[in-house]
Amino acid sequence: MTTHSTTSTASTGKRKITIFDTTLRDGEQSPGASLHSSEKIVLARQLARLGIDAIEPGFPISSPGDFAAVQQISRELQGVEIVGFARALRPDIDAAIRATEDAGFRRLHLFISSSQILLEHQLRKSQQQVVQMAREMVAYAKQHVERIEFSPMDASRTGEEFLFELVEAVIAEGATIINIPDTMGYALPDEYGRMFRRVRENVRGGDTVAYSAHCHNDLGMAVANSIAAIQAGVSQVEVTINGVGERAGNCSLEELVMAIETRKEALGVETGIVLPELYETSRMVSRAMHFPIAYNKPIVGRNAFQHESGIHQDGLLKNRNTFEIMDPEALGIPRNMIILGKHSGRHALQHRVAEFGVALQDGQLEELFTRFKAIADEKKHVTDDELLRIVGSTINQTLERFVLQDVQVVTSSLKNRVASVTIADQITGAVQSHSATGDGAIEALIQCIKSAMPFDMEFIDLELQSMAHGERAKAEAAVEIAVDGRPYRGSAIDQDVVMAVAHASISACNQAARSVQADVEAQSGAGAVS
């Protein structure tokens, strides 16, 4: 279990930063991000696999469901510190104590407003009343739980003298961790780092407690402010997966962790996060909260490790370090760095075609490049299924095993949707039609495609994006499937959303078929050699 993390890690000599995850509490407070108790439990298990040091699973007083989730997570995750969140009110504290009483390791996290604007317009208390409430409630909580974290809410807009007075009071009553939150995302990095130094220097007992940073992202500086706090000696940072949270969100776990990992020599700190679990954790939270991840989101966004520029692609193919400072595969992100678009060059095109197992003869690359550029100028990027078609026509050969010949979908507001597809298998020569029903058109369509495949296919994920505005807008569909536990991703663009999903699904199935065939050929080759 992680405690104050003020000492260096023996093996590296670097200071260990405790990662406190509040995705299931502060993150869930983001409008539209509400989670069922069962979803919280699944995500908490994943946070434990990720190597989180302390999990704040909810706000026990807020609802019976939240209380039950915190209670079950406390009972199940015995190796992780569980944090009970509470206002500086006795009923809140009692609920947090009861919800976390079965935890292997626990702390209570108490907060109260501290800025003058919140005292006047939200809490409607005087400064002295707030100090007295904080004193009494920390003392009360201390009777039940040893580790007490205290947060003066909106600390970055709180007058310095009152902040000192409030923090000094709760330290005197037994608070062991002082969190100085930038609740409104207002602080600048140098200001935020200075707050911690000033508190430590001017508060009696300020050097006897641990310090925590909790930053919101209203001005886009949550990660920068958190790093400034680390440089000021903070030993814990409070984060959320994908940066979810109130308004513009919180400090993003994956961004902070990778900033530390990538620049740990300069920062002199490290975390215990299991990096290969980062990507899957991000996707799980995105799905559970129904919050899409921005394409340009650092670390986990779709474009974070993808390149369309010919100059960048050429450099990457020669040496990955030319245009990447992190290894996506080390974070659990499937490598797919080359995106073919109008800025791509011959080197990238030839590389992508070679990944399909196709060797172009003299003159074929130039012919293919000309056809490719014509399509790329018209569309944002060239998807795999489009590329395979133009490669096939260039070398006069069919490269896709499965060809979608027809799709029909019947929708109704009164009954299930009905879909039928006709798919040709270029290896066996068979042309088969399959029908299925579903609550939605896409569900019915996917059931048809599943039944047409000669292998068991699991439908994992679907992303849809409008490519323009107006009724003639095209849709891009990105579909991920799994076959024998291995992921395959296909994308397609069409004015009809259902057709875009159909073509993207078939593209993914064709990738799976090529992989299966390659495995068979490799095994037969190994058998022949032996």
Side-chain angles (χ1 to χ4, degrees):
M1 180 193 123
T2 303
T3 53
H4 290 174
S5 303
T6 56
T7 58
S8 299
T9 304
S11 60
T12 65
K14 294 181 175 60
R15 185 162 59 92
K16 169 78 183 302
I17 299 298
T18 296
I19 299 299
F20 174 122
D21 186 273
T22 184
T23 302
L24 305 181
R25 197 277 301 170
D26 199 332
E28 195 202 13
Q29 291 175 198
S30 182
S34 181
L35 297 168
H36 296 299
S37 296
S38 58
E39 293 173 317
K40 282 197 170 191
I41 293 161
V42 169
L43 291 176
R45 291 171 186 153
Q46 179 61 27
L47 292 174
R49 285 191 287 272
L50 180 63
I52 296 297
D53 300 294
I55 298 175
E56 192 169 61
F59 194 172
I61 194 69
S62 65
S63 73
D66 237 26
F67 182 95
V70 174
Q71 188 175 60
Q72 183 168 342
I73 291 166
S74 297
R75 290 170 176 170
E76 183 175 330
L77 301 182
Q78 292 290 298
V80 181
E81 186 173 21
I82 305 300
V83 181
F85 187 68
R87 292 169 295 185
L89 298 171
R90 187 169 293 212
D92 283 39
I93 295 170
D94 289 340
I97 290 169
R98 293 196 309 273
T100 60
E101 63 185 351
D102 295 327
F105 309 101
R106 69 166 170 170
R107 80 174 78 158
L108 295 186
H109 182 189
L110 279 58
F111 75 98
I112 195 167
S113 298
S114 63
S115 68
Q116 193 59 36
I117 191 168
L118 290 188
L119 265 57
E120 289 180 9
H121 300 286
Q122 179 248 340
L123 198 58
R124 297 185 178 178
K125 302 281 186 184
S126 69
Q127 290 185 343
Q128 290 313 306
Q129 286 176 309
V130 166
V131 171
Q132 187 61 29
M133 287 174 63
R135 274 189 177 278
E136 291 176 358
M137 292 303 100
V138 168
Y140 176 70
K142 189 73 173 182
Q143 297 173 28
H144 303 274
V145 179
E146 171 58 29
R147 283 170 59 76
I148 304 295
E149 177 173 341
F150 177 80
S151 294
M153 187 165 71
D154 200 17
S156 54
R157 296 195 300 169
T158 298
E160 192 174 68
E161 291 305 317
F162 180 59
L163 181 63
F164 295 164
E165 181 183 357
L166 184 57
V167 170
E168 188 170 290
V170 297
I171 291 175
E173 298 299 337
T176 55
I177 303 169
I178 299 300
N179 175 41
I180 304 179
D182 184 24
T183 310
M184 306 305 167
Y186 178 75
L188 298 175
D190 64 327
E191 295 173 340
Y192 195 58
R194 185 167 60 248
M195 284 176 61
F196 287 96
R197 297 188 189 96
R198 292 283 293 163
V199 168
R200 184 181 288 109
E201 292 166 358
N202 290 277
V203 169
R204 279 179 293 184
D207 58 353
T208 66
V209 296
Y211 288 89
S212 179
H214 180 115
C215 299
H216 281 258
N217 205 37
D218 298 69
L219 295 176
M221 290 186 286
V223 174
N225 282 343
S226 297
I227 290 174
I230 289 171
Q231 292 173 319
V234 161
S235 58
Q236 173 181 279
V237 180
E238 303 182 12
V239 296
T240 61
I241 303 298
N242 299 334
V244 295
E246 295 274 10
R247 304 178 314 279
N250 290 58
C251 177
S252 165
L253 178 143
E254 55 280 359
E255 294 177 28
L256 177 78
V257 166
M258 289 315 299
I260 291 173
E261 176 67 20
T262 306
R263 302 304 311 276
K264 59 187 174 185
E265 297 305 323
L267 293 171
V269 298
E270 63 184 2
T271 73
I273 294 299
V274 181
L275 299 184
E277 295 290 342
L278 275 175
Y279 184 59
E280 182 57 26
T281 309
S282 167
R283 285 166 28 113
M284 286 177 66
V285 170
S286 174
R287 291 170 186 159
M289 292 185 170
H290 304 291
F291 274 19
I293 299 170
Y295 282 6
N296 64 336
K297 172 82 164 68
I299 317 301
V300 294
R302 176 171 163 180
N303 290 348
F305 295 98
Q306 293 186 343
H307 308 263
E308 186 189 327
S309 164
I311 295 172
H312 285 220
Q313 291 174 339
D314 183 63
L316 283 163
L317 292 171
K318 291 172 179 174
N319 186 317
R320 182 187 64 79
N321 292 323
T322 52
F323 289 98
E324 285 186 353
I325 60 172
M326 295 169 279
D327 179 5
E329 291 173 320
L331 314 181
I333 302 174
R335 175 160 288 286
N336 183 26
M337 64 184 182
I338 301 299
I339 297 298
L340 296 177
K342 69 177 185 178
H343 301 108
S344 299
R346 291 171 179 80
H347 191 183
L349 180 62
Q350 188 174 31
H351 170 81
R352 190 75 185 105
V353 172
E355 289 184 327
F356 295 137
V358 176
L360 298 172
Q361 303 301 315
D362 292 341
Q364 289 180 332
L365 177 60
E366 284 305 312
E367 181 183 350
L368 174 63
F369 189 66
T370 300
R371 294 184 179 189
F372 162 76
K373 280 292 187 179
I375 293 177
D377 275 336
E378 180 185 349
K379 301 184 176 181
K380 288 183 180 289
H381 67 262
V382 178
T383 59
D384 283 346
D385 62 320
E386 291 170 322
L387 180 61
L388 282 168
R389 281 197 289 274
I390 62 174
V391 171
S393 63
T394 301
I395 65 175
N396 196 28
Q397 181 181 338
T398 300
L399 298 177
E400 299 167 288
R401 175 173 177 178
F402 304 111
V403 177
L404 191 63
Q405 293 191 340
D406 186 44
V407 175
Q408 293 187 34
V409 176
V410 178
T411 63
S412 168
S413 61
L414 301 176
K415 56 183 98 171
N416 280 350
R417 282 64 172 169
V418 179
S420 64
V421 301
T422 301
I423 296 175
D425 188 327
Q426 301 297 309
I427 291 181
T428 65
V431 178
Q432 295 183 338
S433 295
H434 298 264
S435 298
T437 61
D439 291 336
I442 289 175
E443 180 187 3
L445 170 69
I446 296 303
Q447 293 303 320
C448 292
I449 294 174
K450 280 184 175 181
S451 63
M453 292 299 113
F455 42 71
D456 290 333
M457 162 192 144
E458 181 184 3
F459 189 82
I460 301 296
D461 199 15
L462 167 65
E463 293 178 12
L464 286 172
Q465 181 192 20
S466 174
M467 304 294 286
H469 300 287
E471 64 270 16
R472 296 191 60 80
K474 292 184 177 181
E476 179 188 21
V479 167
E480 183 178 343
I481 66 169
V483 176
D484 293 331
R486 292 164 66 176
Y488 301 94
R489 186 181 177 91
S491 60
I493 299 171
D494 199 283
Q495 191 171 341
D496 187 314
V497 172
V498 173
M499 290 304 300
V501 175
H503 284 299
S505 300
I506 293 297
S507 174
C509 290
N510 277 317
Q511 291 181 43
R514 284 192 296 274
S515 179
V516 170
Q517 182 61 30
D519 289 344
V520 170
E521 291 174 357
Q523 290 174 2
S524 62
V529 170
S530 61

